[in-house]
Amino acid sequence: MAYPFSFGAIVFTASLLFCLLPSAYSFVPKSDVNLLEFPLNLEYLEAEFFLYGALGHGLDVVAPNLTMGGPSPIGAKKANLDPLTNDVILQFAYQEVGHLKAIKKTVKGFPRPQLDLSASSFAKVIDVAFGKPLKPPFDPYANSINYLIASYMIPYVGLTGYVGANPKLKGATSKRLVAGLLGVESGQDAVIRALLYQHAKKKVSPYNIMVAEFTDRISILRDKLGRAGTKDEGLIVPVTSGAEGKISGNVLAGDENSVAYDRTPEEILRIVYGSGNESIPGGFYPKGGDGHFARSYLHSA
């Protein structure tokens, strides 16, 4: 019996179709997909906060295709930054755009969730951290120090999530992606902490509270909301809690062996929702996050 196509033609056609598939989708085990999509929640948050802080506009202008039609963030605006801080934050902003692209080249992803980046949203976090309302309300966009304190809230949560996800991943493509994302997120957190550390004992106007205390209070709050023990540390700690139990300066956070802490998606949702409950949205995500993990808890609420 004669066949209309040669074996060579069939192989060529199959190869062509393979090449037309999304670049990495075929190489990601199903068990990895949810772990890779979940971080998009935080990457959207970081991209929008940094873009608006440095430029006064966000993904809707810079890379509208990445939003996948998701709603614009609430209350984000240009921050009053000095030239150096603006330069650093702008670098972070474009790095976050790259992160969104990298993840979406590997997994399908989901639209930008509703984000609340208003000054009042950050002020609520600070008020809870101090156990009282600050007067006037904390404004992250007012100046460079305030903006860096607000930035302290963000990349560190993401990097602990990447540390937590890494040992659960099975595919080489997934592991390489997360390792690369973790490297840059850790770098961002280190830069933010270093910029704040040089002002650690400076009083934040008009509150008469040192920068170091702001970071300490935020870290204590994140541990409380996460409900999983100590996984967070401010810029100055007791000597016994510093590296090798010998120093109080804490420009990088780590455990007793100076190894990065890890967090689960559940812990991260409790923190970024500000509710201490992965099923109760709020905080920066008034309608909750997206992806399998976030949706599963919203549906169970």
Side-chain angles (χ1 to χ4, degrees):
M1 178 178 178
Y3 293 91
F5 301 104
S6 68
F7 178 77
I10 293 173
V11 171
F12 173 79
T13 302
S15 299
L16 180 61
L17 289 172
F18 181 80
C19 291
L20 292 175
L21 288 171
S23 58
Y25 287 7
S26 301
F27 302 100
V28 178
K30 290 183 178 180
S31 59
D32 288 358
V33 172
N34 294 334
L35 289 167
L36 295 180
E37 285 193 331
F38 177 75
L40 283 171
N41 287 296
L42 292 173
E43 298 291 356
Y44 277 124
L45 172 66
E46 293 173 52
E48 294 290 13
F49 185 58
F50 292 145
L51 282 169
Y52 270 96
L55 296 174
H57 55 251
L59 290 171
D60 288 332
V61 174
V62 174
N65 59 307
L66 293 177
T67 71
M68 297 173 67
S72 299
I74 298 167
K77 62 181 182 180
K78 176 75 175 72
N80 182 26
L81 305 177
D82 64 74
L84 173 62
T85 304
N86 200 92
D87 180 33
V88 170
I89 296 303
L90 184 57
Q91 292 178 49
F92 288 176
Y94 285 125
Q95 289 164 8
E96 295 305 329
V97 172
H99 290 180
L100 289 169
K101 290 179 178 178
I103 294 173
K104 292 185 178 191
K105 285 180 181 177
T106 309
V107 292
K108 183 179 179 180
F110 49 78
R112 173 181 57 194
Q114 181 67 75
L115 300 168
D116 185 352
L117 300 178
S118 62
S120 62
S121 182
F122 285 91
K124 289 175 185 176
V125 175
I126 296 298
D127 287 350
V128 173
F130 279 93
K132 63 180 181 181
L134 296 191
K135 296 181 181 180
F138 179 82
D139 181 358
Y141 301 105
N143 55 61
S144 294
I145 290 294
N146 283 23
Y147 192 84
L148 288 170
I149 289 172
S151 299
Y152 177 89
M153 300 181 191
I154 302 174
Y156 182 75
V157 177
L159 81 85
T160 57
Y162 285 131
V163 174
N166 190 54
K168 300 175 184 176
L169 296 170
K170 296 180 180 179
T173 298
S174 308
K175 293 177 180 178
R176 173 64 185 88
L177 174 62
V178 166
L181 293 167
L182 173 59
V184 175
E185 291 290 329
S186 299
Q188 290 178 353
D189 181 65
V191 170
I192 291 167
R193 293 178 72 102
L195 289 173
L196 286 172
Y197 188 72
Q198 65 180 331
H199 301 292
K201 296 184 178 180
K202 178 180 179 179
K203 299 289 181 68
V204 178
S205 178
Y207 309 112
N208 202 33
I209 300 172
M210 291 194 302
V211 167
E213 185 172 352
F214 270 87
T215 66
D216 190 46
R217 296 278 187 155
I218 292 168
S219 289
I220 290 172
L221 176 61
R222 288 192 296 214
D223 275 341
K224 180 180 178 181
L225 293 172
R227 305 195 335 249
T230 300
K231 297 188 176 183
D232 225 303
E233 299 169 340
L235 294 176
I236 298 177
V237 297
V239 172
T240 54
S241 298
E244 293 300 294
K246 295 181 178 180
I247 194 165
S248 62
N250 199 45
V251 73
L252 296 179
D255 65 13
E256 65 273 15
N257 294 312
S258 295
V259 174
Y261 294 105
D262 66 314
R263 283 191 170 110
T264 65
E266 293 80 5
E267 292 169 51
I268 289 173
L269 290 172
R270 294 169 197 159
I271 293 168
V272 297
Y273 287 174
S275 65
N277 187 324
E278 59 271 35
S279 298
I280 302 177
F284 299 122
Y285 299 84
K287 296 183 179 179
D290 206 340
H292 170 76
F293 290 119
R295 288 197 306 270
S296 66
Y297 287 109
L298 290 176
H299 291 162
S300 66

Short mmCIF file of all heavy atoms in Angstrom, two decimals, residues 13-78:
data_model
loop_
_atom_site.label_atom_id
_atom_site.label_comp_id
_atom_site.label_asym_id
_atom_site.label_seq_id
_atom_site.Cartn_x
_atom_site.Cartn_y
_atom_site.Cartn_z
N THR A 13 7.12 17.61 9.61
CA THR A 13 5.88 18.27 10.06
C THR A 13 5.75 18.23 11.57
O THR A 13 5.39 19.22 12.21
CB THR A 13 4.66 17.58 9.43
OG1 THR A 13 4.78 17.64 8.01
CG2 THR A 13 3.36 18.27 9.85
N ALA A 14 6.07 17.07 12.15
CA ALA A 14 6.00 16.94 13.62
C ALA A 14 6.98 17.88 14.29
O ALA A 14 6.67 18.52 15.30
CB ALA A 14 6.29 15.49 14.03
N SER A 15 8.17 18.00 13.73
CA SER A 15 9.18 18.89 14.30
C SER A 15 8.73 20.34 14.23
O SER A 15 8.94 21.12 15.16
CB SER A 15 10.52 18.72 13.57
OG SER A 15 10.99 17.40 13.68
N LEU A 16 8.09 20.70 13.09
CA LEU A 16 7.62 22.07 12.92
C LEU A 16 6.54 22.40 13.94
O LEU A 16 6.56 23.46 14.58
CB LEU A 16 7.07 22.25 11.52
CG LEU A 16 6.51 23.65 11.16
CD1 LEU A 16 7.61 24.70 11.30
CD2 LEU A 16 5.94 23.65 9.75
N LEU A 17 5.60 21.47 14.14
CA LEU A 17 4.54 21.68 15.12
C LEU A 17 5.12 21.81 16.52
O LEU A 17 4.67 22.62 17.33
CB LEU A 17 3.53 20.53 15.07
CG LEU A 17 2.64 20.48 13.82
CD1 LEU A 17 1.84 19.18 13.81
CD2 LEU A 17 1.72 21.68 13.78
N PHE A 18 6.13 21.01 16.84
CA PHE A 18 6.77 21.06 18.15
C PHE A 18 7.39 22.42 18.39
O PHE A 18 7.29 23.01 19.47
CB PHE A 18 7.85 19.97 18.24
CG PHE A 18 8.55 19.93 19.56
CD1 PHE A 18 7.98 19.32 20.66
CD2 PHE A 18 9.80 20.53 19.72
CE1 PHE A 18 8.62 19.29 21.88
CE2 PHE A 18 10.45 20.51 20.94
CZ PHE A 18 9.86 19.88 22.02
N CYS A 19 8.01 22.96 17.33
CA CYS A 19 8.67 24.26 17.46
C CYS A 19 7.67 25.39 17.67
O CYS A 19 8.01 26.43 18.22
CB CYS A 19 9.52 24.55 16.22
SG CYS A 19 10.97 23.48 16.09
N LEU A 20 6.45 25.18 17.19
CA LEU A 20 5.44 26.22 17.32
C LEU A 20 4.76 26.22 18.67
O LEU A 20 4.02 27.15 19.00
CB LEU A 20 4.37 26.04 16.22
CG LEU A 20 4.86 26.31 14.78
CD1 LEU A 20 3.75 25.97 13.79
CD2 LEU A 20 5.31 27.75 14.61
N LEU A 21 5.01 25.20 19.50
CA LEU A 21 4.43 25.17 20.83
C LEU A 21 5.03 26.28 21.68
O LEU A 21 6.16 26.72 21.44
CB LEU A 21 4.71 23.82 21.50
CG LEU A 21 3.95 22.61 20.97
CD1 LEU A 21 4.51 21.33 21.60
CD2 LEU A 21 2.46 22.72 21.26
N PRO A 22 4.31 26.78 22.72
CA PRO A 22 4.89 27.76 23.64
C PRO A 22 6.24 27.26 24.14
O PRO A 22 6.41 26.08 24.43
CB PRO A 22 3.85 27.85 24.76
CG PRO A 22 2.56 27.53 24.07
CD PRO A 22 2.91 26.47 23.06
N SER A 23 7.18 28.17 24.28
CA SER A 23 8.59 27.83 24.47
C SER A 23 8.87 26.79 25.53
O SER A 23 9.71 25.93 25.34
CB SER A 23 9.38 29.10 24.79
OG SER A 23 8.87 29.72 25.94
N ALA A 24 8.21 26.89 26.69
CA ALA A 24 8.59 25.97 27.77
C ALA A 24 7.43 25.16 28.32
O ALA A 24 7.64 24.30 29.14
CB ALA A 24 9.24 26.76 28.91
N TYR A 25 6.21 25.41 27.84
CA TYR A 25 5.04 24.75 28.41
C TYR A 25 5.20 23.23 28.46
O TYR A 25 4.83 22.58 29.43
CB TYR A 25 3.78 25.07 27.59
CG TYR A 25 3.25 26.48 27.75
CD1 TYR A 25 3.95 27.45 28.47
CD2 TYR A 25 2.05 26.85 27.17
CE1 TYR A 25 3.46 28.73 28.59
CE2 TYR A 25 1.54 28.13 27.29
CZ TYR A 25 2.26 29.07 28.00
OH TYR A 25 1.78 30.34 28.12
N SER A 26 5.75 22.66 27.38
CA SER A 26 5.82 21.22 27.26
C SER A 26 6.80 20.58 28.23
O SER A 26 6.78 19.37 28.43
CB SER A 26 6.20 20.82 25.83
OG SER A 26 5.26 21.33 24.92
N PHE A 27 7.67 21.39 28.83
CA PHE A 27 8.70 20.84 29.68
C PHE A 27 8.42 21.05 31.17
O PHE A 27 9.26 20.75 32.00
CB PHE A 27 10.06 21.48 29.34
CG PHE A 27 10.45 21.27 27.90
CD1 PHE A 27 10.28 22.28 26.96
CD2 PHE A 27 10.98 20.06 27.49
CE1 PHE A 27 10.64 22.08 25.64
CE2 PHE A 27 11.34 19.86 26.17
CZ PHE A 27 11.16 20.87 25.24
N VAL A 28 7.25 21.56 31.48
CA VAL A 28 6.92 21.84 32.88
C VAL A 28 5.96 20.77 33.41
O VAL A 28 4.84 20.66 32.92
CB VAL A 28 6.26 23.23 33.03
CG1 VAL A 28 5.89 23.48 34.49
CG2 VAL A 28 7.20 24.31 32.53
N PRO A 29 6.40 19.97 34.39
CA PRO A 29 5.49 18.97 34.97
C PRO A 29 4.25 19.65 35.54
O PRO A 29 4.31 20.77 36.04
CB PRO A 29 6.35 18.35 36.09
CG PRO A 29 7.75 18.61 35.69
CD PRO A 29 7.73 19.94 34.98
N LYS A 30 3.12 18.97 35.44
CA LYS A 30 1.87 19.54 35.92
C LYS A 30 1.97 19.95 37.38
O LYS A 30 1.38 20.95 37.80
CB LYS A 30 0.72 18.55 35.72
CG LYS A 30 0.34 18.35 34.26
CD LYS A 30 -0.85 17.41 34.13
CE LYS A 30 -1.26 17.25 32.66
NZ LYS A 30 -2.42 16.34 32.51
N SER A 31 2.72 19.19 38.15
CA SER A 31 2.85 19.50 39.58
C SER A 31 3.60 20.80 39.82
O SER A 31 3.50 21.40 40.90
CB SER A 31 3.56 18.36 40.30
OG SER A 31 4.86 18.15 39.75
N ASP A 32 4.35 21.26 38.82
CA ASP A 32 5.13 22.50 38.97
C ASP A 32 4.33 23.74 38.58
O ASP A 32 4.66 24.85 39.00
CB ASP A 32 6.38 22.46 38.08
CG ASP A 32 7.45 21.51 38.60
OD1 ASP A 32 7.23 20.90 39.67
OD2 ASP A 32 8.48 21.38 37.93
N VAL A 33 3.30 23.56 37.75
CA VAL A 33 2.59 24.71 37.18
C VAL A 33 2.04 25.63 38.27
O VAL A 33 2.23 26.85 38.22
CB VAL A 33 1.46 24.25 36.24
CG1 VAL A 33 0.61 25.45 35.81
CG2 VAL A 33 2.04 23.56 35.02
N ASN A 34 1.36 25.06 39.25
CA ASN A 34 0.76 25.90 40.30
C ASN A 34 1.82 26.64 41.11
O ASN A 34 1.62 27.79 41.50
CB ASN A 34 -0.08 25.04 41.24
CG ASN A 34 -1.29 24.44 40.55
OD1 ASN A 34 -1.78 24.99 39.57
ND2 ASN A 34 -1.76 23.32 41.05
N LEU A 35 2.95 25.98 41.34
CA LEU A 35 4.03 26.61 42.11
C LEU A 35 4.68 27.75 41.33
O LEU A 35 5.18 28.71 41.92
CB LEU A 35 5.09 25.57 42.47
CG LEU A 35 4.68 24.52 43.51
CD1 LEU A 35 5.69 23.38 43.53
CD2 LEU A 35 4.56 25.15 44.89
N LEU A 36 4.66 27.66 40.00
CA LEU A 36 5.25 28.71 39.18
C LEU A 36 4.28 29.86 38.93
O LEU A 36 4.70 31.01 38.76
CB LEU A 36 5.73 28.13 37.84
CG LEU A 36 6.86 27.12 37.90
CD1 LEU A 36 7.20 26.64 36.49
CD2 LEU A 36 8.10 27.71 38.56
N GLU A 37 2.99 29.55 38.89
CA GLU A 37 2.01 30.61 38.65
C GLU A 37 1.75 31.46 39.89
O GLU A 37 1.54 32.67 39.77
CB GLU A 37 0.69 30.00 38.15
CG GLU A 37 0.74 29.53 36.72
CD GLU A 37 -0.63 29.22 36.15
OE1 GLU A 37 -1.53 28.85 36.94
OE2 GLU A 37 -0.80 29.36 34.93
N PHE A 38 1.77 30.85 41.05
CA PHE A 38 1.44 31.59 42.27
C PHE A 38 2.27 32.86 42.44
O PHE A 38 1.72 33.92 42.81
CB PHE A 38 1.59 30.69 43.51
CG PHE A 38 1.33 31.41 44.80
CD1 PHE A 38 0.04 31.72 45.18
CD2 PHE A 38 2.38 31.81 45.62
CE1 PHE A 38 -0.22 32.41 46.36
CE2 PHE A 38 2.14 32.50 46.80
CZ PHE A 38 0.83 32.79 47.17
N PRO A 39 3.59 32.84 42.19
CA PRO A 39 4.39 34.06 42.39
C PRO A 39 3.97 35.24 41.53
O PRO A 39 4.36 36.38 41.82
CB PRO A 39 5.82 33.61 42.05
CG PRO A 39 5.82 32.14 42.22
CD PRO A 39 4.45 31.69 41.83
N LEU A 40 3.19 34.99 40.47
CA LEU A 40 2.73 36.11 39.65
C LEU A 40 1.97 37.13 40.49
O LEU A 40 2.01 38.34 40.21
CB LEU A 40 1.83 35.61 38.52
CG LEU A 40 2.53 34.97 37.32
CD1 LEU A 40 1.49 34.33 36.39
CD2 LEU A 40 3.36 35.99 36.56
N ASN A 41 1.29 36.66 41.54
CA ASN A 41 0.57 37.59 42.41
C ASN A 41 1.50 38.66 42.95
O ASN A 41 1.19 39.85 42.92
CB ASN A 41 -0.08 36.83 43.57
CG ASN A 41 -1.28 36.01 43.14
OD1 ASN A 41 -2.29 36.53 42.70
ND2 ASN A 41 -1.15 34.69 43.25
N LEU A 42 2.66 38.23 43.44
CA LEU A 42 3.62 39.17 44.02
C LEU A 42 4.39 39.93 42.94
O LEU A 42 4.74 41.10 43.13
CB LEU A 42 4.58 38.42 44.94
CG LEU A 42 3.94 37.87 46.21
CD1 LEU A 42 4.92 37.00 46.98
CD2 LEU A 42 3.45 39.00 47.10
N GLU A 43 4.67 39.27 41.83
CA GLU A 43 5.41 39.95 40.76
C GLU A 43 4.57 41.10 40.17
O GLU A 43 5.11 42.17 39.85
CB GLU A 43 5.79 38.96 39.66
CG GLU A 43 6.72 37.83 40.11
CD GLU A 43 8.12 38.29 40.44
OE1 GLU A 43 8.43 39.49 40.27
OE2 GLU A 43 8.93 37.46 40.88
N TYR A 44 3.26 40.90 40.03
CA TYR A 44 2.39 41.99 39.60
C TYR A 44 2.46 43.14 40.61
O TYR A 44 2.55 44.32 40.23
CB TYR A 44 0.94 41.51 39.50
CG TYR A 44 0.54 40.81 38.23
CD1 TYR A 44 0.00 39.53 38.26
CD2 TYR A 44 0.68 41.44 36.99
CE1 TYR A 44 -0.40 38.89 37.09
CE2 TYR A 44 0.28 40.81 35.82
CZ TYR A 44 -0.25 39.52 35.88
OH TYR A 44 -0.64 38.89 34.72
N LEU A 45 2.39 42.81 41.88
CA LEU A 45 2.42 43.83 42.94
C LEU A 45 3.72 44.63 42.88
O LEU A 45 3.71 45.87 42.91
CB LEU A 45 2.27 43.15 44.30
CG LEU A 45 2.47 44.03 45.55
CD1 LEU A 45 1.37 45.07 45.65
CD2 LEU A 45 2.48 43.16 46.80
N GLU A 46 4.83 43.94 42.78
CA GLU A 46 6.13 44.61 42.75
C GLU A 46 6.28 45.47 41.49
O GLU A 46 6.75 46.61 41.55
CB GLU A 46 7.25 43.58 42.82
CG GLU A 46 7.32 42.85 44.15
CD GLU A 46 8.33 41.71 44.11
OE1 GLU A 46 9.48 41.97 43.73
OE2 GLU A 46 7.99 40.58 44.46
N ALA A 47 5.89 44.91 40.35
CA ALA A 47 6.02 45.65 39.09
C ALA A 47 5.23 46.95 39.15
O ALA A 47 5.74 48.03 38.79
CB ALA A 47 5.54 44.78 37.93
N GLU A 48 4.00 46.88 39.61
CA GLU A 48 3.16 48.08 39.64
C GLU A 48 3.66 49.10 40.67
O GLU A 48 3.72 50.30 40.38
CB GLU A 48 1.70 47.71 39.95
CG GLU A 48 1.02 46.89 38.86
CD GLU A 48 0.74 47.69 37.59
OE1 GLU A 48 1.27 48.80 37.42
OE2 GLU A 48 -0.02 47.18 36.75
N PHE A 49 4.04 48.63 41.85
CA PHE A 49 4.50 49.55 42.88
C PHE A 49 5.78 50.26 42.46
O PHE A 49 5.91 51.48 42.62
CB PHE A 49 4.72 48.81 44.20
CG PHE A 49 5.09 49.71 45.35
CD1 PHE A 49 4.25 50.74 45.74
CD2 PHE A 49 6.28 49.52 46.05
CE1 PHE A 49 4.59 51.58 46.81
CE2 PHE A 49 6.63 50.35 47.11
CZ PHE A 49 5.78 51.38 47.49
N PHE A 50 6.70 49.53 41.88
CA PHE A 50 7.97 50.13 41.48
C PHE A 50 7.81 51.00 40.23
O PHE A 50 8.42 52.07 40.14
CB PHE A 50 9.03 49.04 41.24
CG PHE A 50 9.46 48.32 42.49
CD1 PHE A 50 9.78 46.96 42.44
CD2 PHE A 50 9.55 48.97 43.70
CE1 PHE A 50 10.18 46.28 43.59
CE2 PHE A 50 9.94 48.30 44.86
CZ PHE A 50 10.26 46.95 44.79
N LEU A 51 7.01 50.56 39.27
CA LEU A 51 6.80 51.38 38.08
C LEU A 51 6.15 52.71 38.43
O LEU A 51 6.60 53.78 38.00
CB LEU A 51 5.94 50.63 37.06
CG LEU A 51 6.63 49.54 36.24
CD1 LEU A 51 5.61 48.71 35.48
CD2 LEU A 51 7.66 50.13 35.27
N TYR A 52 5.07 52.65 39.19
CA TYR A 52 4.40 53.89 39.59
C TYR A 52 5.32 54.76 40.44
O TYR A 52 5.37 55.98 40.26
CB TYR A 52 3.11 53.58 40.35
CG TYR A 52 1.90 53.46 39.47
CD1 TYR A 52 1.46 52.23 39.04
CD2 TYR A 52 1.19 54.59 39.06
CE1 TYR A 52 0.34 52.10 38.22
CE2 TYR A 52 0.07 54.48 38.24
CZ TYR A 52 -0.35 53.24 37.82
OH TYR A 52 -1.45 53.12 37.00
N GLY A 53 6.04 54.14 41.37
CA GLY A 53 6.91 54.92 42.25
C GLY A 53 7.96 55.69 41.48
O GLY A 53 8.27 56.85 41.81
N ALA A 54 8.52 55.08 40.43
CA ALA A 54 9.59 55.71 39.67
C ALA A 54 9.09 56.54 38.50
O ALA A 54 9.67 57.58 38.16
CB ALA A 54 10.56 54.65 39.16
N LEU A 55 8.00 56.10 37.85
CA LEU A 55 7.56 56.73 36.60
C LEU A 55 6.21 57.45 36.70
O LEU A 55 5.90 58.29 35.87
CB LEU A 55 7.46 55.67 35.49
CG LEU A 55 8.76 54.99 35.06
CD1 LEU A 55 8.46 53.87 34.07
CD2 LEU A 55 9.73 55.99 34.46
N GLY A 56 5.39 57.04 37.66
CA GLY A 56 4.07 57.63 37.74
C GLY A 56 3.03 56.90 36.92
O GLY A 56 1.88 57.33 36.83
N HIS A 57 3.41 55.80 36.28
CA HIS A 57 2.47 54.94 35.57
C HIS A 57 2.98 53.50 35.66
O HIS A 57 4.12 53.26 36.07
CB HIS A 57 2.29 55.37 34.11
CG HIS A 57 3.56 55.47 33.33
ND1 HIS A 57 4.09 56.67 32.92
CD2 HIS A 57 4.43 54.52 32.89
CE1 HIS A 57 5.22 56.47 32.26
NE2 HIS A 57 5.45 55.16 32.23
N GLY A 58 2.11 52.55 35.28
CA GLY A 58 2.45 51.16 35.48
C GLY A 58 2.40 50.32 34.22
O GLY A 58 2.68 50.79 33.12
N LEU A 59 2.01 49.07 34.40
CA LEU A 59 2.00 48.11 33.30
C LEU A 59 1.06 48.50 32.17
O LEU A 59 1.29 48.16 31.02
CB LEU A 59 1.62 46.72 33.82
CG LEU A 59 2.65 46.01 34.70
CD1 LEU A 59 2.04 44.75 35.32
CD2 LEU A 59 3.90 45.65 33.90
N ASP A 60 -0.01 49.22 32.48
CA ASP A 60 -0.94 49.64 31.44
C ASP A 60 -0.26 50.48 30.38
O ASP A 60 -0.70 50.53 29.22
CB ASP A 60 -2.11 50.43 32.05
CG ASP A 60 -3.05 49.55 32.84
OD1 ASP A 60 -3.15 48.35 32.52
OD2 ASP A 60 -3.68 50.05 33.79
N VAL A 61 0.83 51.14 30.75
CA VAL A 61 1.60 51.95 29.80
C VAL A 61 2.84 51.22 29.33
O VAL A 61 3.16 51.19 28.13
CB VAL A 61 2.01 53.31 30.44
CG1 VAL A 61 2.94 54.08 29.51
CG2 VAL A 61 0.78 54.13 30.78
N VAL A 62 3.54 50.58 30.26
CA VAL A 62 4.84 49.97 29.96
C VAL A 62 4.71 48.64 29.22
O VAL A 62 5.46 48.38 28.26
CB VAL A 62 5.64 49.78 31.26
CG1 VAL A 62 6.93 49.01 31.00
CG2 VAL A 62 5.95 51.13 31.89
N ALA A 63 3.78 47.81 29.63
CA ALA A 63 3.63 46.47 29.03
C ALA A 63 2.19 45.99 29.20
O ALA A 63 1.93 45.05 29.95
CB ALA A 63 4.61 45.48 29.66
N PRO A 64 1.25 46.64 28.52
CA PRO A 64 -0.16 46.31 28.73
C PRO A 64 -0.52 44.87 28.43
O PRO A 64 -1.46 44.33 29.02
CB PRO A 64 -0.89 47.29 27.79
CG PRO A 64 0.15 47.75 26.80
CD PRO A 64 1.43 47.72 27.55
N ASN A 65 0.22 44.23 27.52
CA ASN A 65 -0.07 42.83 27.20
C ASN A 65 0.13 41.91 28.39
O ASN A 65 -0.52 40.85 28.48
CB ASN A 65 0.82 42.37 26.05
CG ASN A 65 2.30 42.47 26.36
OD1 ASN A 65 2.78 43.55 26.76
ND2 ASN A 65 3.05 41.39 26.20
N LEU A 66 1.00 42.29 29.31
CA LEU A 66 1.27 41.43 30.47
C LEU A 66 0.13 41.43 31.48
O LEU A 66 0.04 40.52 32.30
CB LEU A 66 2.57 41.87 31.16
CG LEU A 66 3.86 41.67 30.38
CD1 LEU A 66 5.05 42.22 31.16
CD2 LEU A 66 4.08 40.19 30.06
N THR A 67 -0.73 42.42 31.43
CA THR A 67 -1.83 42.50 32.40
C THR A 67 -2.93 41.49 32.08
O THR A 67 -3.74 41.17 32.94
CB THR A 67 -2.46 43.90 32.43
OG1 THR A 67 -3.20 44.12 31.23
CG2 THR A 67 -1.40 44.98 32.59
N MET A 68 -3.00 41.04 30.82
CA MET A 68 -4.03 40.11 30.37
C MET A 68 -5.44 40.63 30.70
O MET A 68 -6.35 39.86 31.01
CB MET A 68 -3.81 38.72 30.98
CG MET A 68 -2.50 38.07 30.54
SD MET A 68 -2.11 36.51 31.40
CE MET A 68 -3.42 35.45 30.80
N GLY A 69 -5.58 41.96 30.67
CA GLY A 69 -6.89 42.56 30.89
C GLY A 69 -7.28 42.73 32.34
O GLY A 69 -8.41 43.15 32.63
N GLY A 70 -6.37 42.46 33.27
CA GLY A 70 -6.68 42.63 34.69
C GLY A 70 -6.85 44.09 35.05
O GLY A 70 -6.32 44.98 34.37
N PRO A 71 -7.57 44.39 36.13
CA PRO A 71 -7.86 45.78 36.50
C PRO A 71 -6.62 46.56 36.92
O PRO A 71 -5.66 46.00 37.44
CB PRO A 71 -8.83 45.62 37.69
CG PRO A 71 -8.49 44.28 38.27
CD PRO A 71 -8.15 43.41 37.08
N SER A 72 -6.67 47.86 36.66
CA SER A 72 -5.56 48.73 37.07
C SER A 72 -5.49 48.83 38.58
O SER A 72 -6.51 48.73 39.26
CB SER A 72 -5.75 50.13 36.48
OG SER A 72 -5.78 50.08 35.07
N PRO A 73 -4.29 49.03 39.14
CA PRO A 73 -4.17 49.11 40.59
C PRO A 73 -4.85 50.36 41.16
O PRO A 73 -4.95 51.38 40.48
CB PRO A 73 -2.65 49.17 40.81
CG PRO A 73 -2.09 49.65 39.51
CD PRO A 73 -2.99 49.13 38.45
N ILE A 74 -5.29 50.25 42.38
CA ILE A 74 -5.94 51.35 43.08
C ILE A 74 -4.89 52.20 43.79
O ILE A 74 -4.04 51.67 44.51
CB ILE A 74 -6.93 50.80 44.13
CG1 ILE A 74 -8.03 49.98 43.46
CG2 ILE A 74 -7.53 51.93 44.96
CD1 ILE A 74 -8.85 49.16 44.45
N GLY A 75 -4.94 53.50 43.59
CA GLY A 75 -4.17 54.43 44.41
C GLY A 75 -2.69 54.55 44.19
O GLY A 75 -2.01 55.31 44.88
N ALA A 76 -2.12 53.82 43.23
CA ALA A 76 -0.68 53.91 42.98
C ALA A 76 -0.35 55.26 42.34
O ALA A 76 -1.14 55.79 41.56
CB ALA A 76 -0.23 52.78 42.07
N LYS A 77 0.82 55.81 42.68
CA LYS A 77 1.20 57.10 42.11
C LYS A 77 2.71 57.29 42.17
O LYS A 77 3.43 56.49 42.79
CB LYS A 77 0.51 58.24 42.85
CG LYS A 77 0.87 58.34 44.33
CD LYS A 77 0.10 59.50 44.99
CE LYS A 77 0.48 59.66 46.45
NZ LYS A 77 -0.26 60.78 47.08
N LYS A 78 3.18 58.34 41.53
CA LYS A 78 4.60 58.68 41.54
C LYS A 78 5.02 59.06 42.95
O LYS A 78 4.33 59.80 43.65
CB LYS A 78 4.85 59.85 40.59
CG LYS A 78 6.29 60.37 40.57
CD LYS A 78 7.21 59.44 39.83
CE LYS A 78 8.62 60.02 39.69
NZ LYS A 78 9.38 60.03 40.96
#
